[in-house]
Amino acid sequence: MKKNSFSLLILMLACFTFIVNKVNGQLPTNRKTVFLPGNIPVYFIRVEQGSFLMGTKLSETGSQPDEAPQHKVTISREFYLGQYEVTQSQWQAVLGENPSVFKHNGISGDLPVEMVSWNDIQLFLQKLNSFGIGIFRLPTEAEWEYACRAGGSDRFPWGNDPEYKFLGEYAWFYSRAEGKSHPVGQKKPNAWGLYDMQGNVWEWCVDWYGKYPADSITDPKGVEHGNEHIIRGGSWFNEPEALRSANRHRHPVDSRQTNIGFRLILEQ
Amino acid sequence: MKTRLILLISFSFSFMSWGHEVEYQNDSIISIEINSGVPMHFRWIKPGVFLMGTPGIEEGRDPDEGPLHEVTISKGFYMGINEVTQAQWKAVTDSNPSVFQQGKIPFDRPVESVSWEDCIRFIKILNKKGIGLFRLPTEAEWEYACRAGSETPFYWGNEKNPALVSSYAWGNSWSYATTHPVGQKLPNAWGLYDMSGNVWEWCSDWYGDYIENQQTDPTGPLNGTEKVFRGGSWYDFPVSLRSGNRHRHVPDRPFTSIGLRLVMEKEVPR
């Protein structure tokens, strides 16, 4: 009898924990879901307005000259950022084709779309915005880095990780012989619930590539003109240092690569 | 035009810096037609002796690359000048498992996403065509042909700077995260292309530890769980493109960075 009531207590406790987790873990209030044709969901996470230090001090291990000067950036309005990289099913749902090199192959999970140029994405956005389900765009470089850092100021959102002990828990990056992209959302998210900000595929930003301003700035949109657009976050192809939150890279507008994709912003 | 000029310059530069000479033997090339319009070219590799493996001081060396040991290749053989292409694979099996089929001339790219077992099946079908007897190279044949007389980390010398490596091999940081049509880079001293980079190449050997003694025509351990592949790929950094670098995987798993190169045993007279 005593043993039984003890078991019951444990069972009730387990149920209670489960329910609490369910309430806390499922359907967070900071998430929005939009449905594409064919009932394909796209998830967005609300990112609050705030300020952060963009770029690096050049003392950061692995930092590049174009990540400096470190400067204060204010994001004056909250925004909704894609919780995952745009997937092949999502691209297919909008444009009816899939340009990616790495195809499903019957494996469960949705791979990020790649082989899409910055220009291709403008066509995708045009079509997507014609559906009347919301106004979508690419993130600015500042929005991207703000959301990637998720309040952190270290090399990675989870810390400096000098020996890359934790990188593998959060990101897909170079690993001998394994040359391919991976289904989105298989690794741990950052503190704000965003997946694959580091690794898997690079993500196009709206900005032209250019020098950072030295002074504090609000809602920066990058330089006025340029030859190449910003990509961020590193990919399955890159060494760990390219995955640092502040790392910047760029490609021409019509460049299609097997390791570059993107993430959406849903405008209010 | 511009790229050609750069190629020419880097080629002559390589002559100056390491005194490389491409030692093409006479009548050393054989061309086989798999199907009409799909040729495959082989180059005669003479018998010889070489040091297999890497010395302890080599930068980036893995322990399994030693001990350095003397290997005699007692019989010459025909080595594929290029990695097997998607067109060649398709001509034999009527299928193409490769991931990198994008672009205008996809079928000149090396076949990849083929397991070791897939390669053995490919060779079986090819051998039934009556145009020759083909097989995978042994690990020793592969390294002998790759080194082409060199004892440096790479067949082009010691240079591991991507700016220079990129004239000889497709590797990470300059491959644009994809394979490339075969034969676009400079060949080694025996006229073989892409021995380093583009795709790794399956060998016939099981993976095992090297034996210290002098050996003749080694074929690797009798049994094992993993097959050897060599040469590094579009996905790998220069350290993996070294002639002595070894890697291995189970025989039934395909990878986007692994393909193959064939050895031709003998030609059937036609």
Side-chain angles (χ1 to χ4, degrees), chain A residues 101-103 115 173-180 236-239 251 257-259, chain B residues 99-100 102 172-173 175-177 200 234-237 240 245 247 253 255-257:
Chain A
V101 149
F102 299 106
K103 296 270 164 58
M115 293 299 282
F173 60 105
Y174 171 83
S175 158
R176 191 154 66 168
E178 296 278 359
K180 61 183 179 197
W236 56 268
F237 185 62
N238 296 98
E239 283 186 298
H251 262 270
Q257 306 292 332
T258 64
N259 60 337
Chain B
V99 155
F100 299 109
Q102 75 279 19
N172 195 316
S173 305
S175 70
Y176 301 100
W200 294 92
W234 60 272
Y235 186 55
D236 298 283
F237 297 91
S240 296
N245 186 233
H247 205 37
R253 263 197 76 184
F255 294 88
T256 60
S257 60

